[in-house]
Coordinates of all heavy atoms in Angstrom, one line a residue:
M1 N 66.1 92.2 60.0 CA 67.5 92.2 60.5 C 67.5 92.6 62.0 O 66.9 93.6 62.3 CB 68.3 93.2 59.7 CG 69.7 93.2 60.0 SD 70.7 94.4 59.0 CE 71.3 93.2 57.8
M2 N 68.2 91.9 62.8 CA 68.2 92.2 64.3 C 69.4 93.1 64.6 O 70.5 92.9 64.0 CB 68.4 90.9 65.1 CG 67.2 90.0 65.1 SD 67.5 88.6 66.2 CE 66.6 89.1 67.5
K3 N 69.2 94.0 65.4 CA 70.2 94.9 65.9 C 70.9 94.2 67.1 O 70.2 93.7 68.0 CB 69.7 96.3 66.3 CG 69.2 97.0 65.1 CD 68.8 98.4 65.5 CE 68.3 99.2 64.3 NZ 67.8 100.5 64.7
S4 N 72.2 94.3 67.1 CA 72.9 93.7 68.3 C 72.9 94.8 69.4 O 73.1 96.0 69.2 CB 74.3 93.3 67.9 OG 75.1 94.4 67.5
K5 N 72.9 94.3 70.6 CA 72.9 95.2 71.8 C 74.3 95.3 72.3 O 75.1 94.3 72.3 CB 72.0 94.6 72.9 CG 70.6 94.7 72.6 CD 69.7 94.2 73.7 CE 68.3 94.3 73.4 NZ 67.4 93.9 74.6
V6 N 74.7 96.4 72.7 CA 76.0 96.7 73.2 C 75.8 97.1 74.7 O 75.1 98.0 75.0 CB 76.7 97.8 72.4 CG1 78.1 98.1 73.1 CG2 76.9 97.4 71.0
S7 N 76.5 96.4 75.6 CA 76.4 96.8 77.0 C 77.5 97.8 77.3 O 78.7 97.6 76.9 CB 76.5 95.6 77.9 OG 77.8 95.0 77.7
I8 N 77.2 98.8 78.0 CA 78.1 99.9 78.4 C 78.1 99.9 79.9 O 77.1 100.0 80.5 CB 77.7 101.2 77.8 CG1 77.6 101.1 76.3 CG2 78.6 102.3 78.3 CD1 77.0 102.3 75.6
P9 N 79.3 99.9 80.5 CA 79.3 100.0 82.0 C 78.8 101.3 82.4 O 79.0 102.4 81.9 CB 80.8 99.9 82.3 CG 81.5 100.2 81.0 CD 80.6 99.9 79.9
V10 N 78.0 101.2 83.5 CA 77.4 102.4 84.1 C 78.3 103.0 85.2 O 78.8 102.3 86.0 CB 76.0 102.1 84.7 CG1 75.4 103.3 85.4 CG2 75.1 101.5 83.6
V11 N 78.5 104.3 85.1 CA 79.3 105.0 86.1 C 78.4 105.8 86.9 O 77.7 106.7 86.4 CB 80.4 105.8 85.4 CG1 81.2 106.6 86.4 CG2 81.3 105.0 84.5
A12 N 78.4 105.5 88.2 CA 77.6 106.3 89.2 C 78.4 107.4 89.8 O 79.5 107.2 90.2 CB 77.0 105.3 90.2
K13 N 77.8 108.5 89.9 CA 78.5 109.7 90.6 C 77.8 109.9 92.0 O 76.6 110.0 92.1 CB 78.4 110.9 89.8 CG 79.3 110.8 88.5 CD 79.4 112.2 87.9 CE 80.5 112.1 86.8 NZ 80.9 113.3 86.3
E14 N 78.6 110.0 93.0 CA 78.2 110.3 94.3 C 79.1 111.3 94.9 O 80.3 111.1 95.0 CB 78.3 109.0 95.2 CG 77.0 108.2 95.2 CD 77.2 107.0 96.1 OE1 77.6 107.2 97.3 OE2 76.9 105.9 95.7
K15 N 78.5 112.4 95.3 CA 79.3 113.5 96.0 C 80.6 113.8 95.3 O 81.6 113.8 95.8 CB 79.6 113.0 97.4 CG 78.4 112.8 98.3 CD 78.8 112.4 99.7 CE 77.6 112.0 100.5 NZ 78.0 111.6 101.8
D16 N 80.4 114.1 94.0 CA 81.6 114.5 93.1 C 82.6 113.4 93.0 O 83.8 113.7 92.7 CB 82.2 115.8 93.6 CG 81.2 116.9 93.5 OD1 80.4 116.9 92.5 OD2 81.3 117.8 94.3
V17 N 82.3 112.1 93.4 CA 83.3 111.1 93.3 C 82.7 110.0 92.3 O 81.6 109.6 92.4 CB 83.5 110.4 94.6 CG1 84.5 109.2 94.5 CG2 84.1 111.4 95.6
T18 N 83.5 109.7 91.3 CA 83.1 108.7 90.3 C 83.5 107.3 90.8 O 84.7 107.1 91.1 CB 83.7 109.0 89.0 OG1 83.3 110.3 88.6 CG2 83.2 108.0 87.9
A19 N 82.5 106.4 90.9 CA 82.8 105.0 91.4 C 82.4 104.1 90.3 O 81.3 104.1 89.8 CB 82.0 104.7 92.7
I20 N 83.3 103.3 89.8 CA 83.1 102.3 88.8 C 82.7 101.0 89.5 O 81.7 100.3 89.1 CB 84.3 102.1 87.9 CG1 84.5 103.4 87.1 CG2 84.0 101.0 86.9 CD1 85.7 103.5 86.3
A21 N 83.4 100.6 90.4 CA 83.2 99.3 91.1 C 83.7 99.4 92.5 O 84.6 100.1 92.8 CB 83.8 98.2 90.3
S22 N 83.2 98.6 93.4 CA 83.7 98.5 94.7 C 84.3 97.1 94.9 O 83.6 96.1 94.5 CB 82.6 98.7 95.7 OG 83.1 98.6 97.0
V23 N 85.5 97.0 95.4 CA 86.2 95.7 95.5 C 86.3 95.4 97.0 O 86.7 96.3 97.8 CB 87.6 95.8 94.9 CG1 88.3 94.5 95.1 CG2 87.5 96.2 93.5
S24 N 85.9 94.2 97.4 CA 86.0 93.8 98.8 C 87.3 93.1 99.0 O 87.6 92.1 98.3 CB 84.8 92.9 99.2 OG 83.6 93.6 99.1
L25 N 88.0 93.6 100.0 CA 89.3 93.0 100.4 C 89.3 92.6 101.8 O 88.7 93.3 102.7 CB 90.5 93.9 100.1 CG 90.7 94.3 98.7 CD1 91.9 95.3 98.6 CD2 91.0 93.2 97.8
S26 N 89.9 91.5 102.2 CA 90.0 91.1 103.6 C 91.0 92.1 104.2 O 91.8 92.8 103.6 CB 90.6 89.7 103.7 OG 91.9 89.6 103.3
P27 N 91.0 92.1 105.6 CA 92.0 93.0 106.2 C 93.4 92.7 105.9 O 94.3 93.6 105.7 CB 91.7 92.8 107.7 CG 90.3 92.3 107.8 CD 90.1 91.6 106.5
D28 N 93.8 91.4 105.7 CA 95.1 91.1 105.3 C 95.5 91.6 103.9 O 96.6 92.0 103.6 CB 95.3 89.6 105.4 CG 95.4 89.0 106.8 OD1 95.7 89.8 107.7 OD2 95.2 87.8 107.0
E29 N 94.5 91.5 103.0 CA 94.7 91.9 101.6 C 94.8 93.4 101.6 O 95.6 94.0 100.8 CB 93.5 91.5 100.7 CG 93.5 90.0 100.5 CD 92.2 89.6 99.7 OE1 91.1 90.2 100.0 OE2 92.3 88.7 98.9
K30 N 94.1 94.2 102.4 CA 94.2 95.6 102.5 C 95.6 96.0 103.0 O 96.2 96.9 102.5 CB 93.1 96.2 103.4 CG 91.8 96.4 102.7 CD 90.8 97.1 103.5 CE 89.5 97.3 102.8 NZ 88.5 98.0 103.6
E31 N 96.0 95.3 104.0 CA 97.4 95.6 104.6 C 98.4 95.3 103.5 O 99.4 96.1 103.3 CB 97.6 94.7 105.8 CG 98.9 95.0 106.5 CD 99.1 94.2 107.8 OE1 98.1 94.0 108.5 OE2 100.2 93.7 108.0
D32 N 98.3 94.2 102.8 CA 99.2 93.9 101.7 C 99.2 95.0 100.6 O 100.2 95.4 100.1 CB 98.9 92.6 101.1 CG 99.9 92.2 100.0 OD1 101.1 92.2 100.3 OD2 99.5 91.8 98.9
L33 N 98.0 95.5 100.3 CA 97.8 96.5 99.3 C 98.5 97.8 99.7 O 99.2 98.5 99.0 CB 96.4 96.8 99.0 CG 96.0 97.9 98.0 CD1 96.6 97.6 96.6 CD2 94.5 98.0 97.9
I34 N 98.3 98.2 101.0 CA 99.0 99.4 101.5 C 100.5 99.3 101.5 O 101.2 100.2 101.1 CB 98.4 99.6 103.0 CG1 97.0 100.0 102.9 CG2 99.3 100.7 103.7 CD1 96.3 100.1 104.2
E35 N 101.0 98.1 101.8 CA 102.5 97.9 101.7 C 103.0 98.0 100.3 O 104.0 98.6 100.0 CB 102.8 96.5 102.3 CG 102.7 96.5 103.8 CD 103.0 95.1 104.4 OE1 103.4 94.2 103.6 OE2 102.7 94.8 105.6
Q36 N 102.2 97.5 99.3 CA 102.5 97.6 97.9 C 102.5 99.0 97.5 O 103.4 99.4 96.7 CB 101.6 96.8 97.1 CG 101.7 95.3 97.2 CD 100.7 94.6 96.3 OE1 100.4 95.0 95.2 NE2 100.3 93.4 96.7
I37 N 101.6 99.8 97.9 CA 101.5 101.2 97.6 C 102.7 102.0 98.1 O 103.3 102.8 97.5 CB 100.2 101.8 98.0 CG1 99.0 101.3 97.2 CG2 100.2 103.4 98.0 CD1 97.7 101.6 97.7
Q38 N 103.0 101.7 99.4 CA 104.2 102.4 100.0 C 105.5 102.0 99.2 O 106.3 102.9 99.0 CB 104.3 102.0 101.5 CG 103.2 102.6 102.3 CD 103.1 102.1 103.7 OE1 103.6 101.0 104.0 NE2 102.4 102.8 104.6
Q39 N 105.6 100.7 98.9 CA 106.8 100.3 98.1 C 106.8 101.0 96.7 O 107.9 101.4 96.2 CB 106.9 98.8 98.0 CG 108.1 98.3 97.2 CD 109.4 98.7 97.9 OE1 109.5 98.5 99.1 NE2 110.3 99.2 97.1
A40 N 105.7 101.1 96.1 CA 105.6 101.7 94.7 C 105.9 103.2 94.8 O 106.6 103.7 93.9 CB 104.2 101.5 94.2
F41 N 105.5 103.8 95.9 CA 105.8 105.2 96.1 C 107.4 105.4 96.3 O 108.0 106.3 95.7 CB 105.1 105.8 97.3 CG 105.3 107.3 97.4 CD1 104.6 108.2 96.5 CD2 106.1 107.8 98.4 CE1 104.8 109.5 96.6 CE2 106.3 109.2 98.5 CZ 105.6 110.1 97.6
R42 N 108.0 104.5 97.1 CA 109.4 104.6 97.2 C 110.1 104.3 95.9 O 111.1 105.0 95.6 CB 109.9 103.6 98.3 CG 109.6 104.0 99.7 CD 110.2 103.1 100.7 NE 109.7 101.7 100.7 CZ 108.7 101.2 101.4 NH1 108.0 102.0 102.2 NH2 108.4 100.0 101.3
N43 N 109.6 103.4 95.1 CA 110.2 103.1 93.8 C 110.1 104.4 92.9 O 111.0 104.7 92.1 CB 109.6 101.9 93.1 CG 109.9 100.6 93.8 OD1 110.8 100.6 94.6 ND2 109.1 99.6 93.5
W44 N 109.0 105.1 93.0 CA 108.8 106.3 92.2 C 109.7 107.4 92.6 O 110.3 108.0 91.8 CB 107.3 106.7 92.3 CG 107.0 108.0 91.6 CD1 106.8 108.2 90.3 CD2 106.8 109.3 92.3 NE1 106.5 109.5 90.0 CE2 106.5 110.2 91.2 CE3 106.8 109.7 93.6 CZ2 106.2 111.5 91.5 CZ3 106.5 111.0 93.8 CH2 106.3 111.9 92.8
E45 N 109.9 107.5 93.9 CA 110.9 108.5 94.4 C 112.3 108.2 94.0 O 113.1 109.0 93.6 CB 110.9 108.6 95.9 CG 109.6 109.3 96.5 CD 109.6 109.3 98.0 OE1 110.0 108.3 98.7 OE2 109.3 110.4 98.6
E46 N 112.7 106.9 94.0 CA 114.0 106.4 93.6 C 114.2 106.7 92.1 O 115.3 107.2 91.7 CB 114.1 105.0 93.9 CG 115.5 104.4 93.6 CD 115.5 102.9 93.9 OE1 115.1 102.5 95.0 OE2 116.1 102.1 93.0
A47 N 113.2 106.5 91.3 CA 113.3 106.8 89.9 C 113.5 108.2 89.6 O 114.2 108.6 88.7 CB 112.0 106.3 89.1
Q48 N 112.8 109.1 90.4 CA 113.1 110.5 90.2 C 114.5 110.9 90.5 O 115.1 111.7 89.8 CB 112.1 111.3 91.2 CG 110.7 111.4 90.7 CD 109.9 112.2 91.6 OE1 110.0 112.2 92.8 NE2 109.0 113.0 91.0
V49 N 115.1 110.3 91.6 CA 116.5 110.6 91.9 C 117.4 110.2 90.8 O 118.3 110.9 90.4 CB 116.8 109.9 93.3 CG1 118.3 110.0 93.5 CG2 116.1 110.6 94.4
H50 N 117.1 109.0 90.3 CA 118.0 108.5 89.2 C 117.9 109.4 88.0 O 118.9 109.7 87.3 CB 117.6 107.1 88.8 CG 118.0 106.0 89.7 ND1 119.4 105.6 89.8 CD2 117.4 105.3 90.6 CE1 119.5 104.7 90.7 NE2 118.3 104.5 91.3
F51 N 116.7 109.9 87.7 CA 116.5 110.8 86.6 C 117.3 112.1 86.8 O 117.9 112.6 85.9 CB 115.0 111.1 86.4 CG 114.7 112.1 85.2 CD1 114.8 111.6 83.9 CD2 114.4 113.4 85.5 CE1 114.6 112.5 82.9 CE2 114.2 114.3 84.5 CZ 114.3 113.8 83.2
N52 N 117.2 112.6 88.0 CA 117.9 113.9 88.3 C 119.4 113.7 88.1 O 120.1 114.7 87.9 CB 117.6 114.3 89.7 CG 116.2 114.8 89.8 OD1 115.6 115.2 88.9 ND2 115.7 114.8 91.0
Y53 N 120.0 112.5 88.3 CA 121.4 112.4 88.2 C 121.9 111.6 86.9 O 123.0 111.3 86.7 CB 121.9 111.6 89.4 CG 121.9 112.5 90.6 CD1 120.8 112.3 91.6 CD2 122.8 113.5 90.9 CE1 120.7 113.2 92.7 CE2 122.7 114.3 92.0 CZ 121.7 114.1 92.9 OH 121.6 115.0 94.0
A54 N 120.9 111.4 86.0 CA 121.3 110.7 84.7 C 122.2 111.7 83.9 O 121.9 112.9 83.8 CB 120.1 110.4 83.9
D55 N 123.3 111.1 83.4 CA 124.2 112.0 82.7 C 124.5 111.7 81.2 O 125.3 112.4 80.6 CB 125.6 112.1 83.5 CG 126.3 110.8 83.5 OD1 125.7 109.8 83.0 OD2 127.4 110.7 84.1
N56 N 123.8 110.7 80.7 CA 123.9 110.5 79.2 C 122.6 110.1 78.7 O 121.6 109.8 79.4 CB 125.0 109.5 78.9 CG 124.7 108.1 79.4 OD1 123.7 107.6 79.2 ND2 125.7 107.5 80.1
E57 N 122.5 110.1 77.3 CA 121.2 109.9 76.7 C 120.6 108.5 77.0 O 119.4 108.4 77.3 CB 121.4 110.0 75.2 CG 120.1 110.0 74.4 CD 120.3 110.2 72.9 OE1 121.2 110.9 72.5 OE2 119.5 109.6 72.2
D58 N 121.4 107.5 77.1 CA 120.9 106.1 77.4 C 120.3 106.1 78.9 O 119.3 105.5 79.1 CB 121.9 105.1 77.3 CG 122.3 104.8 75.8 OD1 121.4 105.1 75.0 OD2 123.4 104.3 75.6
E59 N 121.0 106.7 79.8 CA 120.5 106.7 81.2 C 119.2 107.5 81.3 O 118.3 107.2 82.0 CB 121.6 107.3 82.1 CG 122.7 106.4 82.4 CD 123.7 107.0 83.4 OE1 123.3 107.7 84.3 OE2 124.9 106.7 83.3
I60 N 119.2 108.6 80.6 CA 118.0 109.4 80.6 C 116.8 108.7 80.1 O 115.7 108.6 80.7 CB 118.2 110.8 79.8 CG1 119.2 111.7 80.5 CG2 116.8 111.5 79.6 CD1 119.6 112.8 79.7
D61 N 117.0 108.0 78.9 CA 115.9 107.1 78.4 C 115.5 106.1 79.4 O 114.3 105.8 79.6 CB 116.3 106.5 77.1 CG 116.5 107.5 75.9 OD1 115.9 108.6 76.0 OD2 117.1 107.1 74.9
Y62 N 116.4 105.4 80.0 CA 116.1 104.3 80.9 C 115.4 104.9 82.2 O 114.4 104.3 82.6 CB 117.4 103.6 81.4 CG 117.2 102.6 82.4 CD1 116.5 101.4 82.1 CD2 117.6 102.8 83.8 CE1 116.3 100.5 83.1 CE2 117.4 101.9 84.7 CZ 116.7 100.7 84.4 OH 116.5 99.7 85.4
T63 N 115.8 106.0 82.7 CA 115.2 106.6 83.9 C 113.8 107.1 83.5 O 112.9 107.0 84.4 CB 116.0 107.7 84.5 OG1 116.3 108.7 83.6 CG2 117.3 107.1 85.1
I64 N 113.6 107.6 82.3 CA 112.2 107.9 81.9 C 111.3 106.7 81.9 O 110.2 106.7 82.4 CB 112.2 108.6 80.5 CG1 112.8 110.0 80.7 CG2 110.8 108.7 79.9 CD1 113.1 110.7 79.3
Y65 N 111.8 105.6 81.4 CA 111.1 104.3 81.4 C 110.8 103.9 82.9 O 109.7 103.5 83.2 CB 111.9 103.2 80.7 CG 111.3 101.9 80.9 CD1 110.2 101.5 80.2 CD2 111.9 101.0 81.8 CE1 109.6 100.2 80.3 CE2 111.3 99.7 82.0 CZ 110.2 99.3 81.2 OH 109.7 98.1 81.4
M66 N 111.8 104.0 83.7 CA 111.6 103.7 85.2 C 110.5 104.6 85.8 O 109.6 104.1 86.5 CB 112.9 103.9 85.9 CG 113.9 102.8 85.7 SD 115.4 103.1 86.6 CE 114.9 103.5 88.3
L67 N 110.5 105.9 85.5 CA 109.5 106.8 86.0 C 108.1 106.5 85.5 O 107.2 106.4 86.3 CB 109.9 108.2 85.6 CG 110.7 109.1 86.6 CD1 111.1 110.4 86.0 CD2 109.9 109.3 87.9
E68 N 108.0 106.2 84.2 CA 106.7 105.9 83.7 C 106.1 104.6 84.3 O 104.9 104.5 84.6 CB 106.7 105.8 82.2 CG 106.9 107.2 81.5 CD 107.1 107.1 80.0 OE1 107.3 106.0 79.5 OE2 107.0 108.1 79.4
A69 N 107.0 103.6 84.4 CA 106.5 102.3 85.0 C 106.1 102.5 86.4 O 105.1 102.0 86.9 CB 107.7 101.3 84.9
A70 N 106.9 103.3 87.2 CA 106.6 103.5 88.6 C 105.3 104.2 88.7 O 104.5 103.9 89.6 CB 107.7 104.2 89.3
E71 N 105.1 105.2 87.9 CA 103.8 106.0 87.9 C 102.6 105.2 87.6 O 101.6 105.3 88.2 CB 103.9 107.2 87.0 CG 104.8 108.3 87.5 CD 105.1 109.4 86.5 OE1 104.6 109.4 85.4 OE2 105.9 110.3 86.8
K72 N 102.8 104.3 86.6 CA 101.7 103.4 86.2 C 101.3 102.5 87.3 O 100.1 102.3 87.6 CB 102.0 102.6 84.9 CG 102.2 103.4 83.7 CD 100.9 103.6 83.0 CE 101.2 104.3 81.7 NZ 100.0 104.9 81.1
R73 N 102.3 101.9 87.9 CA 102.1 100.9 89.0 C 101.4 101.6 90.2 O 100.4 101.1 90.8 CB 103.4 100.3 89.5 CG 103.2 99.3 90.6 CD 104.2 98.3 90.7 NE 104.1 97.5 91.9 CZ 103.3 96.5 92.1 NH1 102.4 96.2 91.2 NH2 103.2 95.8 93.3
L74 N 101.9 102.8 90.6 CA 101.4 103.5 91.7 C 99.9 103.9 91.4 O 99.1 103.8 92.2 CB 102.2 104.8 92.0 CG 101.9 105.6 93.2 CD1 101.9 104.8 94.4 CD2 102.9 106.8 93.3
S75 N 99.7 104.4 90.2 CA 98.3 104.8 89.8 C 97.4 103.6 89.9 O 96.2 103.7 90.4 CB 98.4 105.3 88.4 OG 97.1 105.6 87.9
M76 N 97.8 102.4 89.4 CA 97.0 101.2 89.4 C 96.7 100.8 90.8 O 95.5 100.5 91.2 CB 97.7 100.1 88.7 CG 97.0 98.7 88.8 SD 98.1 97.3 88.5 CE 99.3 97.4 89.8
L77 N 97.7 100.8 91.7 CA 97.5 100.4 93.1 C 96.6 101.4 93.8 O 95.7 101.0 94.6 CB 98.8 100.3 93.8 CG 99.7 99.1 93.4 CD1 101.1 99.2 93.9 CD2 99.0 97.8 93.7
L78 N 96.7 102.7 93.6 CA 95.9 103.7 94.2 C 94.4 103.6 93.7 O 93.5 103.7 94.5 CB 96.4 105.1 93.9 CG 97.7 105.5 94.6 CD1 98.2 106.8 94.2 CD2 97.5 105.5 96.2
R79 N 94.2 103.3 92.5 CA 92.9 103.0 92.0 C 92.2 101.8 92.7 O 91.1 101.9 93.0 CB 92.9 102.8 90.4 CG 91.6 103.0 89.8 CD 91.7 102.9 88.2 NE 92.8 103.6 87.7 CZ 93.9 103.1 87.1 NH1 94.0 101.8 87.0 NH2 94.9 103.8 86.6
K80 N 93.0 100.8 92.8 CA 92.5 99.6 93.5 C 92.2 99.9 95.0 O 91.2 99.5 95.5 CB 93.6 98.5 93.5 CG 93.1 97.2 94.0 CD 94.1 96.1 93.8 CE 93.6 94.8 94.4 NZ 94.6 93.7 94.2
A81 N 93.0 100.7 95.6 CA 92.8 101.1 97.0 C 91.5 101.9 97.1 O 90.7 101.8 98.0 CB 93.9 101.9 97.6
K82 N 91.3 102.8 96.1 CA 90.1 103.7 96.1 C 88.8 102.8 96.0 O 87.8 103.0 96.7 CB 90.2 104.7 95.0 CG 89.0 105.6 94.9 CD 89.2 106.6 93.8 CE 88.0 107.6 93.8 NZ 88.1 108.5 92.7
Q83 N 88.9 101.8 95.1 CA 87.8 100.9 94.8 C 87.5 100.0 96.0 O 86.3 99.7 96.3 CB 88.0 100.1 93.6 CG 88.0 100.8 92.3 CD 88.4 100.0 91.1 OE1 89.0 98.9 91.3 NE2 88.2 100.6 89.9
S84 N 88.5 99.7 96.8 CA 88.3 98.9 98.0 C 88.1 99.7 99.3 O 88.0 99.1 100.3 CB 89.5 97.9 98.1 OG 90.6 98.6 98.5
H85 N 88.1 101.0 99.1 CA 87.9 101.9 100.3 C 89.0 101.7 101.3 O 88.8 101.8 102.5 CB 86.5 101.7 100.9 CG 85.4 101.9 99.9 ND1 85.1 103.1 99.4 CD2 84.6 101.0 99.4 CE1 84.1 102.9 98.6 NE2 83.8 101.7 98.5
A86 N 90.2 101.4 100.9 CA 91.4 101.3 101.8 C 91.9 102.7 102.0 O 92.0 103.4 101.0 CB 92.4 100.3 101.2
H87 N 92.3 103.0 103.2 CA 92.9 104.3 103.4 C 94.4 104.2 103.5 O 94.9 103.4 104.3 CB 92.3 104.9 104.7 CG 90.8 105.0 104.7 ND1 90.2 106.1 104.0 CD2 89.8 104.3 105.1 CE1 88.9 106.0 104.1 NE2 88.6 104.9 104.8
V88 N 95.1 105.0 102.7 CA 96.5 104.9 102.7 C 97.1 106.2 103.1 O 96.7 107.3 102.6 CB 97.0 104.6 101.2 CG1 98.5 104.5 101.2 CG2 96.4 103.3 100.7
Y89 N 98.0 106.2 104.1 CA 98.6 107.4 104.6 C 100.1 107.2 104.4 O 100.6 106.1 104.7 CB 98.3 107.6 106.1 CG 96.8 107.8 106.3 CD1 96.1 106.7 106.8 CD2 96.2 109.0 106.0 CE1 94.7 106.8 107.0 CE2 94.8 109.1 106.2 CZ 94.1 108.0 106.7 OH 92.7 108.1 106.9
Y90 N 100.8 108.2 104.0 CA 102.3 108.1 103.8 C 102.9 109.3 104.5 O 102.6 110.4 104.1 CB 102.6 108.0 102.3 CG 104.1 107.7 102.1 CD1 104.6 106.4 102.3 CD2 105.0 108.7 101.8 CE1 105.9 106.2 102.1 CE2 106.3 108.5 101.6 CZ 106.8 107.2 101.8 OH 108.1 106.9 101.6
Y91 N 103.7 109.1 105.5 CA 104.4 110.1 106.2 C 105.9 110.0 106.0 O 106.4 108.9 105.9 CB 104.1 110.0 107.7 CG 102.6 110.2 108.0 CD1 101.8 109.1 108.3 CD2 102.0 111.4 108.0 CE1 100.5 109.2 108.6 CE2 100.7 111.6 108.3 CZ 99.9 110.4 108.6 OH 98.6 110.6 108.9
R92 N 106.5 111.2 105.9 CA 108.0 111.2 105.8 C 108.5 111.9 107.0 O 108.0 112.7 107.5 CB 108.4 111.9 104.5 CG 108.0 111.2 103.3 CD 108.7 111.7 102.1 NE 109.8 110.7 101.9 CZ 110.9 110.9 101.5 NH1 111.3 112.1 101.2 NH2 111.8 110.0 101.3

């Protein structure tokens, strides 16, 4: 009987930073990614404001959904930026 092999992704650690993969992006793609991150951050801030002013159960449920979705999108974009070594700065 043959045993099947299972491939497991290797995670390399360098200087206390875990890197799974490196993604190469063109300068235009990096600029687009940075704009998407900035927009996602504004959406997250807007969702927080809506949550703070929600006044009934349905609005609270909806704003929680908005917050979770905004956090997931922002997290995904930041992970992509980290993998592509894009530097994102946000000033207010």
Side-chain angles (χ1 to χ4, degrees):
M1 183 178 263
M2 293 184 102
K3 291 185 179 178
S4 62
K5 291 185 179 181
V6 177
S7 63
I8 300 172
V10 177
V11 177
K13 289 193 174 191
E14 267 182 51
K15 298 180 184 177
D16 296 326
V17 176
T18 303
I20 296 174
S22 183
V23 178
S24 294
L25 298 177
S26 70
D28 288 339
E29 290 172 325
K30 280 187 179 182
E31 185 176 320
D32 184 50
L33 177 60
I34 290 168
E35 288 174 10
Q36 287 180 34
I37 290 170
Q38 291 170 339
Q39 181 62 45
F41 187 76
R42 286 190 296 270
N43 291 344
W44 177 73
E45 287 181 319
E46 183 179 315
Q48 285 185 320
V49 170
H50 285 287
F51 179 77
N52 290 336
Y53 291 101
D55 62 357
N56 65 50
E57 190 176 326
D58 289 337
E59 283 184 35
I60 292 169
D61 289 344
Y62 176 70
T63 56
I64 289 171
Y65 170 77
M66 284 177 51
L67 266 171
E68 289 176 347
E71 288 172 359
K72 293 274 187 196
R73 177 156 173 76
L74 186 56
S75 176
M76 175 199 61
L77 291 169
L78 290 173
R79 196 174 317 109
K80 185 175 180 181
K82 182 178 179 181
Q83 291 172 347
S84 66
H85 305 290
H87 298 282
V88 180
Y89 302 98
Y90 189 78
Y91 299 100
R92 290 195 104 215

